[in-house]
Amino acid sequence: MNTPFIQPRLLLSMALGPLFLAIACGAGGCPATVPPLTPANIYGSGINADDLANIILGWDTSTDSCNRSLSYRCRVGYTGNLLAIRPKFIWSTDKKGYSLGNGGRIQVQVQSDDGTFNHFPSGAVLGSLDYDQPINQGHYSPLLTFPNPVKVSAGELYHVVFCNIASDPRVDFVSLDHLYMWKATSPAQPILSNLELAVLERGGEGAWTVYRRGVGHGLTPILELVYEGGNVQGQGYIQGYGQTSTQGWINPKPISGEQAVRETFTVSGTERTVSSVSVRVNRLTGASPLSIRLEKGDGTLVEQGSVLVPLGEVSPTTNNETWITLSFSAPVKLRVGDGYHLVLGCPADTVHTTHVLEKGRASGYSPATYFTDGYAQFNSGAGWVGWDLFAVPHRTDCDLQFYFQ
């Protein structure tokens, strides 16, 4: 489900390093794609999302009064030539507020940062491409190649600016899709700063602003950057569906008694020494803490502990999950080639819930943009199976919201 915030009637880090979600690489056996400033002490998905949200590139005259543009602000991790990007477009043939006509003509520019306190696009265009009629092209996540490579420098802020330059953006427009938090936090992500990764918008006044609806920052870009020489970085989780629907599946999953969830993974790349693990969960009822168990693939205990999760709420749209952290009694070595399980459980007198993030693997996103060493599983009391999402069972392309540090 997408929640268009320009269309309310439809219901509707890196502070520690350079760019979004290259934390996943190194995980997944792709050391060549690790940006040089990425914190070596982060291992896991490291991202949160409750849903998706679209913003129109164009002019929906029923709700808007301008041709809206967007920018993704990000800090690059490489010096050299940027060759291509992979965004996520979204449209709908049966819901208003997503798209109209052929989708328009989308101009994508790479601009430098203006260097001000606000860090808006400078207007200086370093590279540009046009993507005509995206709906007719039929690809939600196309790889868009610049006609001329764009020279960038590691550690600098840049803006990927999207604008609909169709002859009439009121009759031909499309949306960009983003990870969305129902209860926005600042920063929007646990290990990413809003400076290093943010969605900006420009309305009829012509001025850039940080995207906001309500309090804080609720959106995270879905974007891959491809560099000359094979380097890749980006945020490649394309879904974070955490609503309380039971239409053929149950997501989020309950954690209570025999019901439990886990991330199963085999370490690749390099050995990691970790001192804590963070997970995102909700406590619905009861007073027992969440049990967090790190075990080897054969079930041998490595480390365990418990944390009392704040009592949350549940509604048709949000389950109020929160990040909690368990500090280990001593540093733990995660050895290359060894399998592990990160298991979340609790006594039957208490109910917790959590949901997963979908990797963009099937949509063409590089393994450099998400966690590749494992996937999420749940146990309803009859044994461990892969997550089911959108009525597709036994999936191996989903991760818990977690990270070791």
Side-chain angles (χ1 to χ4, degrees):
M1 173 179 176
N2 283 269
T3 306
F5 283 86
I6 306 174
Q7 311 295 328
R9 69 188 183 282
L10 292 182
L11 188 55
L12 34 181
S13 321
M14 202 175 279
L16 300 175
L19 182 64
F20 44 120
L21 240 226
I23 59 173
C25 231
C30 43
T33 64
V34 180
L37 303 180
T38 298
N41 62 335
I42 297 297
Y43 178 64
S45 59
I47 287 288
N48 54 221
D50 292 333
D51 205 339
L52 294 178
N54 69 294
I55 308 179
I56 287 171
L57 287 173
W59 187 341
D60 185 349
T61 56
S62 64
T63 61
D64 215 345
S65 59
C66 63
N67 181 15
R68 191 170 300 276
S69 301
L70 294 179
S71 174
Y72 293 163
R73 181 176 64 205
C74 53
R75 193 182 299 279
V76 306
Y78 299 99
T79 294
N81 290 326
L82 176 67
L83 301 182
I85 67 163
R86 190 186 303 274
K88 186 172 188 239
F89 293 103
I90 188 69
W91 58 84
S92 175
T93 57
D94 59 353
K95 289 184 179 180
K96 294 181 179 179
Y98 284 81
S99 60
L100 198 65
N102 59 35
R105 184 180 178 191
I106 307 304
Q107 181 185 73
V108 183
Q109 296 179 340
V110 177
Q111 295 187 19
S112 58
D113 185 77
D114 66 6
T116 67
F117 174 82
N118 292 314
H119 291 288
F120 291 152
S122 68
V125 179
L126 307 177
S128 181
L129 63 86
D130 290 353
Y131 186 51
D132 197 28
Q133 303 185 17
I135 295 175
N136 292 348
Q137 299 279 358
H139 301 292
Y140 288 119
S141 299
L143 184 66
L144 304 180
T145 302
F146 293 101
N148 297 299
V150 183
K151 293 187 179 301
V152 295
S153 298
E156 296 295 322
L157 288 174
Y158 294 90
H159 298 261
V160 182
V161 179
F162 300 85
C163 182
N164 189 346
I165 59 172
S167 58
D168 192 346
R170 295 169 296 184
V171 298
D172 293 299
F173 61 80
V174 72
S175 293
L176 280 174
D177 226 355
H178 315 81
L179 297 185
Y180 173 66
M181 291 286 287
W182 278 99
K183 292 191 174 181
T185 59
S186 185
Q189 294 297 337
I191 61 170
L192 309 174
S193 80
N194 290 333
L195 176 62
E196 267 73 15
L197 184 62
V199 179
L200 313 178
E201 62 181 343
R202 183 172 58 189
E205 300 80 11
W208 287 104
T209 60
V210 175
Y211 176 89
R212 263 190 203 88
R213 297 296 186 272
V215 179
H217 305 267
L219 297 190
T220 297
I222 302 170
L223 180 68
E224 174 182 315
L225 305 180
V226 180
Y227 298 86
E228 189 174 50
N231 292 322
V232 179
Q233 60 183 160
Q235 196 299 103
Y237 284 104
I238 62 170
Q239 180 59 269
Y241 192 79
Q243 298 191 34
T244 54
S245 172
T246 56
Q247 302 172 25
W249 67 93
I250 299 175
N251 200 36
K253 298 295 184 189
I255 304 169
S256 181
E258 294 184 350
Q259 298 173 312
V261 303
R262 73 183 185 186
E263 181 85 9
T264 181
F265 60 97
T266 300
V267 179
S268 70
T270 60
E271 180 180 281
R272 294 165 175 84
T273 300
V274 297
S275 59
S276 68
V277 65
S278 299
V279 295
R280 185 167 179 254
V281 293
N282 187 23
R283 177 165 61 97
L284 296 183
T285 64
S288 294
L290 181 77
S291 169
I292 302 176
R293 175 184 172 94
L294 176 62
E295 62 185 30
K296 292 184 178 181
D298 61 5
T300 302
L301 176 66
V302 176
E303 181 66 83
Q304 67 178 353
S306 59
V307 180
L308 184 62
V309 179
L311 188 63
E313 62 182 356
V314 63
S315 76
T317 57
T318 178
N319 54 31
N320 203 38
E321 292 175 1
T322 187
W323 284 95
I324 60 166
T325 298
L326 173 68
S327 296
F328 298 149
S329 59
V332 171
K333 290 186 183 296
L334 301 178
R335 302 185 184 279
V336 177
D338 285 357
Y340 298 89
H341 304 306
L342 176 65
V343 185
L344 310 183
C346 75
D349 63 1
T350 299
V351 176
H352 294 83
T353 60
T354 194
H355 68 277
V356 293
L357 305 166
E358 180 187 355
K359 313 177 202 210
R361 184 172 65 198
S363 298
Y365 289 88
S366 165
T369 66
Y370 49 79
F371 184 70
T372 57
D373 280 3
Y375 60 95
Q377 296 179 311
F378 72 95
N379 188 343
S380 62
W384 293 102
V385 295
W387 220 268
D388 54 290
L389 189 64
F390 299 114
V392 178
H394 310 305
R395 299 181 69 139
T396 59
D397 61 349
C398 299
D399 291 316
L400 294 183
Q401 300 163 96
F402 82 102
Y403 61 93
F404 291 95
Q405 191 167 8

